[in-house]
Amino acid sequence: VIWEKAVSPRNPARQFSSDHDYVHVFSKHADWTPNKLPRTEESNSIYSNPDDDPRGPWLPGDPYANKPYSKGLYKIVGPSGRTFSPPPGRYWRISEEKLNELDKDGRIWWGPTGEARPSIKRYLSEVGDLVPRTFWPKSAVGSNRTSKNEMRKLFPGEESFGTPKPEGLIQRVLQIATEPGDLVLDSFLGSGTTAAVAHKMNRPYVGIEMGDQAKTHCGRRVRKGVEGEQGGISETVGWKRGGGFKFCTLGEPAFDEEGFINPEISFNTLAAFIWHFETATPAAGEFDQPLLGIHDGTAYFLLYNGVLGDRRPKGGNVLTRAVLQMLDEQYPHDGPRVIYGETTRLGEAALASAGVSFQQIPYDIKVR
């Protein structure tokens, strides 16, 4: 999709003044279709009613078809007595019987004097929303200047973010690709436009940003939206105020670049990763004991980083009979258990008898 980003030409350009950028559209499924866009005053303005048709404004439609149509070759006489036939290689779109039927109903236009070729009326009241087009002009979705003005209004007197996008552009993307309630992800949040627009359009969102603007712009921008700022698309979508968001900072990485466990990782960080890996749910708080929690009847344990103290083999990272007995006493659970540890000294039969599935660190911990 071509987005017209520039308002005026850049005369200092060495060769061509760049007026546009591209929006690349990808789909998981070949039969995906975008949502249609709501009609605008501009799209409705091409409809008129020169003959005072009681059905309201209409647009003359092309009566011809390019593909062969068995009932599409005939002559028809208009109100002035003039005879009409389709041009060579073309066909009437509808049969003679259907055309006469529409003509009796006042749905055929012969021009103001009755001498023009017949046109099939397309009524504004009968047309639907608009199919997205591949050219998005600045008048419809905003330009670079629009976005910079939006940022100046949000953060007056502050240095503007380098390449913000207008809220109207992101609104268009979300209109055709999502429904209210769909989750929106922006892995490179930039100035926070996607999060701000998703918030105003009732889409839950996740934004990721490594730069300082995560705090200087993104978080503050969404907070202004929560408080009811009226810039950007606020008026268009009827946004007032409300909702909320959580600003999170990532901790130390659980894995290195080759996918191995970070040797400096803390117990809490590895525990949080394992809990999410096993349950697909976020951690409810800090982890400071071997029992991470119980999910769907299964108890999850982690023996790592000396959580049991140095009185046991390798600081308590090894599942022995003594460790298992201690877990039974301190964290009784009448159901299946999953225990992560460096190794185990219990055989398969003993583990099965105790209802334990043992997962070895680091081999059974994988990056998703």
Side-chain angles (χ1 to χ4, degrees):
V1 174
I2 296 173
W3 167 47
E4 186 185 20
K5 67 177 182 179
V7 173
S8 57
R10 298 176 59 190
N11 290 325
R14 182 169 173 267
Q15 293 176 324
F16 294 91
S17 176
S18 177
D19 286 350
H20 67 277
D21 265 337
Y22 297 100
V23 178
H24 294 272
V25 183
F26 298 86
S27 170
K28 287 184 177 180
H29 309 288
D31 60 351
W32 174 82
T33 56
N35 297 328
K36 292 186 177 181
L37 299 172
R39 303 193 65 83
T40 64
E41 291 185 10
E42 181 181 2
S43 61
N44 292 342
S45 65
I46 61 175
Y47 289 79
S48 61
N49 195 359
D51 60 347
D52 295 323
D53 191 314
R55 285 171 284 248
W58 50 270
L59 191 69
D62 188 354
Y64 304 126
N66 293 326
K67 295 183 177 181
Y69 175 47
S70 61
K71 297 182 179 182
L73 287 176
Y74 55 86
K75 294 181 180 180
I76 189 166
V77 179
S80 68
R82 182 180 175 186
T83 300
F84 298 91
S85 298
R90 304 192 72 184
Y91 304 79
W92 293 115
R93 187 178 298 275
I94 56 178
S95 67
E96 184 176 6
E97 180 183 2
K98 182 64 175 178
L99 193 147
N100 287 326
E101 180 184 324
L102 293 178
D103 192 24
K104 290 179 182 179
D105 195 28
R107 291 174 175 262
I108 299 296
W109 173 244
W110 300 92
T113 62
E115 296 184 350
R117 66 165 175 77
S119 296
I120 303 172
K121 293 181 179 179
R122 294 173 54 200
Y123 293 94
L124 176 59
S125 61
E126 296 176 353
V127 297
D129 289 338
L130 304 172
V131 174
R133 303 176 70 177
T134 56
F135 176 68
W136 296 355
K138 57 182 181 292
S139 59
V141 299
S143 64
N144 281 340
R145 181 178 296 179
T146 304
S147 57
K148 289 182 179 179
N149 288 337
E150 289 173 353
M151 295 299 289
R152 291 190 185 104
K153 184 177 180 180
L154 284 167
F155 307 108
E158 298 184 23
E159 182 178 352
S160 178
F161 181 77
T163 56
K165 299 298 181 288
E167 290 197 4
L169 177 67
I170 305 303
Q171 179 192 17
R172 171 68 61 87
V173 171
L174 299 189
Q175 279 178 323
I176 69 174
T178 69
E179 300 289 348
D182 284 351
L183 180 62
V184 175
L185 169 66
D186 190 336
S187 300
F188 304 92
L189 192 55
S191 64
T193 305
T194 299
V197 171
H199 192 96
K200 295 176 183 179
M201 293 180 67
N202 191 30
R203 272 76 165 167
Y205 50 91
V206 175
I208 304 170
E209 179 54 58
M210 293 177 63
D212 292 339
Q213 70 267 22
K215 293 182 179 179
T216 61
H217 288 77
C218 300
R220 292 171 62 203
R221 182 172 186 176
V222 180
R223 186 173 293 109
K224 286 176 179 286
V226 171
E227 294 170 353
E229 60 88 7
Q230 290 300 296
I233 66 167
S234 294
E235 184 177 349
T236 304
V237 300
W239 173 252
K240 299 302 181 183
R241 59 177 297 149
F245 68 99
K246 181 181 293 185
F247 190 101
C248 302
T249 302
L250 290 179
E252 58 187 315
F255 300 90
D256 62 22
E257 294 179 354
E258 297 180 352
F260 296 108
I261 295 178
N262 177 4
E264 304 300 324
I265 193 173
S266 67
F267 176 85
N268 179 70
T269 300
L270 185 60
F273 178 85
I274 289 176
W275 176 257
H276 188 269
F277 182 85
E278 288 282 359
T279 69
T281 62
E286 296 290 315
F287 294 98
D288 56 4
Q289 62 181 22
L291 175 62
L292 307 185
I294 299 173
H295 182 77
D296 289 343
T298 299
Y300 295 91
F301 294 83
L302 173 61
L303 308 178
Y304 179 75
N305 210 20
V307 68
L308 298 180
D310 291 334
R311 67 184 183 279
R312 294 181 173 85
K314 295 192 177 181
N317 295 350
V318 177
L319 181 61
T320 63
R321 291 188 181 277
V323 169
L324 183 59
Q325 182 178 351
M326 182 278 298
L327 295 178
D328 288 337
E329 295 172 354
Q330 295 191 17
Y331 310 102
H333 176 67
D334 187 19
R337 291 175 290 181
V338 175
I339 301 178
Y340 281 82
E342 183 176 313
T343 187
T344 179
R345 294 182 179 174
L346 302 178
E348 293 184 7
L351 291 172
S353 176
V356 171
S357 172
F358 182 77
Q359 304 296 316
Q360 188 174 15
I361 299 174
Y363 309 106
D364 290 325
I365 301 180
K366 303 290 190 294
V367 180
R368 284 193 183 276

